[in-house]
Amino acid sequence: MKFAKLMKQDEYFMSTQPILTVEGIRAVEAREAPVAQPSLMERAGLAAAEQALGLLSDRTGCVLVVTGSGNNGGDGFVVARHLKAAGCGVVVACAANCDRLPPQASAAHQRWLEAGGSVVDNFVGGQWTLVIDALLGIGVHRPLEGRYAEWVSRLNQLNCPILALDVPSGLNADTGSVLGCAVRASHTATFIALKPGMLTLDGPMHCGQISVHTLGLDIGDVASGQVGEQISRTSFAEYIRPRTSNSHKGDYGEVGIIGGASGMLGAPLLAARAALKLGAGKVYVGLLDPHAPLLDLAQPELMLRPPGDIHLLASALAIGPGLGTSESAQQQLRRALGFAGPLVLDADALNLIAAHPPLQSLTAQREASTVLTPHPAEAARLLQCSVIQIQAHRLDSALELARRLRAGVVLKGNGSIVAAPSGQWHINTSGNPGLASAGTGDALTGLLVSLLAQGWLAHQALCCAVHLHGAAADHLATHGIGPIGLTAGELPDAARAVFNRWILDQGQGENIDMPPSFSKRS
């Protein structure tokens, strides 16, 4: 059994992997199932059984397979049959009435019985070597209750590895929401392709190490909006290249950053330092506080100017960090929305747009690229709904913001979602909880506007900035800085180190591989 090479967390060489919504998975299944030989259920069960055998140090222990009422349970019966044939002790517990299973699952159940297996209707905690979670699959959308909720709770109390089939039971495969309760798996064997809910919101906390089993299928044509991609370096590889020796600062753009009302000077300066460390030729900062210093002593390369001058000096502009919501802030934002180059809207710029519909219209009418970087609360204000609704529908919310405001969007959070006005979307998997601290969003804004100033297209710049932001945090954690106590001010230097490493690897033709949390099998 082959496993992906393990790598340090700061090495992001993975291949881009497709992500399919449940609707997209169903479309592939409907197309492929009638002609698949052996059946998709047999393929999935065999693939998961091979992974299960790799997780067993020996075959003298006992494996518990818990199954439910649907085809996910059928996959579990196939896994059990293969494990038994390999010499493992297997106990199958079914939470459903085995006489009422759907046709494919019923056939798998019958083959399990014909192989000498049996089924019990309950289980107790014990010295299980491994548990296979085949209770519920990707079709569940209601909160778990009754026996299923009880069994999930008991599974989570077991002290052994749990391999979930397709998704952990109780996790919404589209949204990453926990449906009342969900299995906390150490490993998840997912079939055909990744699902959005595995990578965002609560999904990463429940899926453990994910392996993708394509079952020999090509996803082919899937309707727009049903397929996205996991962000990796291949998402923006064409832009990762070394600089020529015959170059000068004018080749790398002029960044402008506007913000810094009274008491909030740190936010734009953090963004500006990040922009500088990622290679912008010049960085101008316009601070609204009339008593603001004329020099950043910690970063004297930054050029501090009156806010009204920044629009005339910049080739790419960011507005919002520490901006405030005063009349002066609104005036600066109106002027920024008329800026002829790429524009990043963050923090209070988003809050002002949410509060003033005319500003929303100006945003949507812009000709140049516009990029928004909301966290869930800011997204909720923009879409006039609750944070709970945003978090329960992260992908849909990001896509709706991108469509409504004709802008690139990153909906920040665990598994940040990048969406384009065209309906294209990506999910990022780099980063760690160290980013949950003040100012890290300002650093992201600085990275993003720096790439835009250097001529990157908006969607590629957004994917790179989000991925690099997380990779920088992982780099710091690997070197003993965080995740607890990681500060925003430490991110720019780390981002610079990681980005230069990417350029070096690209120049040396480094093979692109996958990170330790993912492996892909056919």
Side-chain angles (χ1 to χ4, degrees):
M1 188 173 182
K2 297 181 179 179
F3 290 91
K5 181 179 71 175
L6 298 182
M7 294 173 293
K8 295 179 181 178
Q9 285 289 338
D10 60 341
E11 295 177 347
Y12 286 87
F13 302 141
M14 66 275 216
S15 301
T16 297
Q17 293 198 53
I19 309 168
L20 264 64
T21 63
V22 171
E23 187 177 1
I25 291 290
R26 296 301 191 214
V28 174
E29 290 175 334
R31 184 185 70 230
E32 299 290 339
V35 296
Q37 292 296 331
S39 71
L40 298 185
M41 184 174 289
E42 284 292 327
R43 296 185 194 185
L46 176 59
E50 290 175 343
Q51 182 173 351
L53 289 172
L55 295 174
L56 296 168
S57 56
D58 58 59
R59 301 179 189 180
T60 60
C62 193
V63 178
L64 172 66
V65 181
V66 290
T67 68
S69 59
N71 284 333
N72 193 253
D75 296 339
F77 287 120
V78 178
V79 173
R81 192 178 78 239
H82 286 295
L83 293 181
K84 187 175 188 298
C88 300
V90 182
V91 172
V92 175
C94 185
N97 184 339
C98 290
D99 294 330
R100 297 180 180 177
L101 298 174
Q104 288 189 64
S106 180
H109 169 248
Q110 185 61 35
R111 292 193 67 185
W112 164 242
L113 297 179
E114 292 170 355
S118 61
V119 178
V120 297
D121 62 3
N122 213 332
F123 70 94
V124 294
Q127 297 302 311
W128 308 108
T129 308
L130 176 69
V131 171
I132 308 295
D133 166 28
L135 269 176
L136 298 165
I138 63 175
V140 179
H141 299 285
R142 295 195 304 269
L144 274 59
E145 56 187 21
R147 196 174 203 199
Y148 283 94
E150 178 189 346
W151 279 30
V152 166
S153 177
R154 285 159 59 188
L155 289 176
N156 286 337
Q157 295 173 25
L158 297 177
N159 186 27
C160 66
I162 298 178
L163 173 62
L165 303 189
D166 221 5
V167 293
S169 295
L171 183 73
N172 186 305
D174 274 340
T175 68
S177 300
V178 171
L179 299 169
C181 59
V183 168
R184 291 190 294 271
S186 58
H187 299 76
T188 298
T190 199
F191 306 127
I192 303 178
L194 293 166
K195 288 80 180 173
M198 306 176 74
L199 308 180
T200 195
L201 197 60
D202 297 319
M205 296 185 291
H206 286 263
C207 290
Q209 181 172 324
I210 299 169
S211 60
V212 181
H213 304 266
T214 65
L215 309 185
L217 303 181
D218 182 351
I219 64 173
D221 294 329
V222 179
S224 176
Q226 294 177 7
V227 60
E229 289 183 343
Q230 176 195 352
I231 298 179
S232 74
R233 279 168 46 187
T234 58
S235 304
F236 43 84
E238 62 186 297
Y239 289 89
I240 302 293
R241 50 181 178 261
R243 292 182 171 181
T244 63
S245 56
N246 183 25
S247 62
H248 57 85
K249 62 186 178 183
D251 294 331
Y252 305 114
E254 295 82 27
V255 164
I257 296 175
I258 298 174
S262 179
M264 297 183 287
L265 298 181
L269 292 178
L270 280 169
R273 293 171 190 173
L276 186 70
K277 294 292 176 69
L278 200 56
K282 300 177 184 178
V283 180
Y284 298 96
V285 187
L287 301 174
L288 271 66
D289 186 346
H291 304 295
L294 301 178
L295 176 70
D296 179 3
L297 293 175
Q299 200 72 66
E301 299 88 347
L302 301 178
M303 291 173 278
L304 278 57
R305 297 285 191 275
D309 294 348
I310 301 300
H311 311 76
L312 305 175
L313 299 168
S315 55
L317 182 65
I319 184 168
L323 184 68
T325 57
S326 66
E327 181 60 34
S328 175
Q330 291 184 49
Q331 292 174 359
Q332 292 297 332
L333 178 55
R334 289 179 189 276
R335 187 173 181 188
L337 291 172
F339 179 65
L343 175 65
V344 179
L345 300 172
D346 183 31
D348 281 328
L350 300 175
N351 293 328
L352 285 169
I353 290 170
H356 300 281
L359 295 179
Q360 297 176 32
S361 298
L362 290 175
T363 302
Q365 292 166 9
R366 277 180 44 83
E367 294 296 329
S369 299
T370 310
V371 181
L372 282 62
T373 62
H375 55 56
E378 291 162 346
R381 295 181 195 116
L382 286 165
L383 292 177
Q384 296 183 312
C385 64
S386 69
V387 174
I388 292 175
Q389 289 172 301
I390 294 291
Q391 292 291 68
H393 304 282
R394 284 176 55 78
L395 176 57
D396 289 343
S397 298
L399 287 168
E400 175 60 17
L401 276 175
R403 183 198 64 79
R404 187 179 297 185
L405 295 175
R406 295 182 61 247
V409 172
V410 54
L411 178 55
K412 295 183 285 194
N414 191 20
S416 292
I417 296 174
V418 172
S422 64
Q424 184 180 11
W425 54 274
H426 288 73
I427 299 181
N428 183 58
T429 54
S430 65
N432 61 62
L435 292 172
S437 63
T440 59
D442 303 312
L444 172 61
T445 292
L447 298 177
L448 175 56
V449 72
S450 183
L451 295 175
L452 291 171
Q454 294 173 62
W456 288 48
L457 293 178
H459 192 72
Q460 285 78 3
L462 190 47
C463 285
C464 179
V466 170
H467 193 60
L468 178 60
H469 187 247
D474 290 339
H475 175 87
L476 289 168
T478 299
H479 291 81
I481 304 171
I484 295 174
L486 186 153
T487 64
E490 293 165 318
L491 287 171
D493 285 342
R496 177 176 61 185
V498 172
F499 193 74
N500 278 288
R501 171 66 183 275
W502 288 354
I503 292 173
L504 179 63
D505 291 337
Q506 193 89 340
Q508 295 175 344
E510 183 76 25
N511 290 329
I512 294 178
D513 206 339
M514 284 167 276
S517 58
F518 288 89
S519 59
K520 186 172 182 179
R521 302 173 172 85
S522 60

